[in-house]
Amino acid sequence: MNYLGHLVLSGNDNEVLFGNFIADAVKGKSYLDLPKKVQEGVLLHRFIDDFTDTNSHYLAGKRRFYEGFPKMGGVINDIVFDYLLWQYEIKTNSLNLEKEIVRYYTVLDSFKNDMPNKIRFMYRYMKRDDWLNNYKTEKGIKRALHGIGRRINYSNDLERSFEVVKQNMNNYIEEFNKFFQAIQNEIKP
């Protein structure tokens, strides 16, 4: 899952949310130097990543990108799952995402000075360009994919990968729904 999915699964504790958000920049056991609730967020992030990387429903979607976008299936599928999370919200109205995204930005703003430099740098663009809300639309997802492809000098037009999603939308929706239910069951307190 990408940023939105991680934030949604963080629950209501602000420090846990912050720890989950910065976790990719926290290496090894260095998380032990952080406050207890931030540590919980880092560990939650690692759990979500491990769960995702081994979940059959997630892996089915990831594999569809292997032929046209070698080595990028996981990156693409993470972003697609944030799009599918928005589609789930549009259908169920169960996550209150519009309001929650305002909360996420507010919480992260309050921790901005505590962010590792590379996360703070990225967050500035995330908030300015409102990535979390832009995951809601095809245009927003294509923009995110194009940006990633450009930043990592990927030779293919990464935004074209969304055509794979459109051609297999029913499968992606079904896989996401099964995945999301399973991970929510694992994370419930």
Side-chain angles (χ1 to χ4, degrees):
M1 300 198 78
N2 206 37
Y3 298 110
L4 182 60
H6 275 278
L7 293 169
V8 165
L9 294 170
S10 292
N12 293 319
D13 187 282
N14 293 347
E15 288 182 291
V16 170
L17 185 139
F18 174 66
N20 192 345
F21 184 73
I22 66 167
D24 282 335
V26 178
K27 302 302 177 196
K29 293 189 178 197
S30 66
Y31 75 94
L32 295 171
D33 298 329
L34 300 169
K36 189 77 170 150
K37 287 289 188 177
V38 178
Q39 290 180 29
E40 288 179 30
V42 171
L43 294 175
L44 175 61
H45 183 102
R46 291 176 180 178
F47 173 81
I48 293 167
D49 283 355
D50 289 344
F51 183 91
T52 301
D53 290 343
T54 60
N55 181 272
S56 62
H57 305 297
Y58 175 86
L59 294 172
K62 177 180 172 179
R63 286 186 193 105
R64 289 189 194 98
F65 298 111
Y66 286 175
E67 184 179 330
F69 304 90
K71 301 180 181 179
M72 294 302 295
V75 172
I76 298 167
N77 213 43
D78 282 354
I79 294 170
V80 166
F81 265 42
D82 276 1
Y83 169 80
L84 293 168
L85 182 58
W86 257 114
Q87 303 319 297
Y88 174 87
E89 169 67 359
I90 290 167
K91 184 176 182 181
T92 66
N93 291 311
S94 61
L95 302 173
N96 202 11
L97 276 185
E98 289 183 1
K99 186 175 180 183
E100 283 296 290
I101 287 172
V102 171
R103 181 177 76 85
Y104 301 151
Y105 285 135
T106 301
V107 169
L108 294 173
D109 281 347
S110 73
F111 284 100
K112 198 180 325 185
N113 292 334
D114 298 320
M115 289 179 184
N117 289 335
K118 95 177 197 183
I119 299 294
R120 187 180 321 118
F121 179 80
M122 176 275 304
Y123 176 68
R124 180 176 47 164
Y125 293 100
M126 171 189 275
K127 186 174 180 195
R128 182 194 74 189
D129 297 338
D130 196 11
W131 295 359
L132 301 178
N133 278 303
N134 280 322
Y135 291 144
K136 184 178 187 176
T137 66
E138 178 179 337
K139 180 180 177 184
I141 290 298
K142 286 181 173 180
R143 182 176 174 192
L145 290 166
H146 177 78
I148 289 169
R150 189 182 68 244
R151 279 191 301 281
I152 64 172
N153 294 320
Y154 192 74
S155 60
N156 293 328
D157 294 324
L158 211 51
E159 67 270 18
R160 287 186 309 110
S161 64
F162 198 76
E163 294 306 312
V164 173
V165 177
K166 287 170 40 177
Q167 292 166 6
N168 298 278
M169 187 60 79
N170 290 336
N171 290 332
Y172 275 103
I173 290 170
E174 181 180 344
E175 291 155 3
F176 173 80
N177 289 342
K178 289 177 180 176
F179 165 85
F180 193 55
Q181 181 177 356
I183 199 165
Q184 284 180 307
N185 289 339
E186 290 292 321
I187 290 176
K188 281 186 180 172

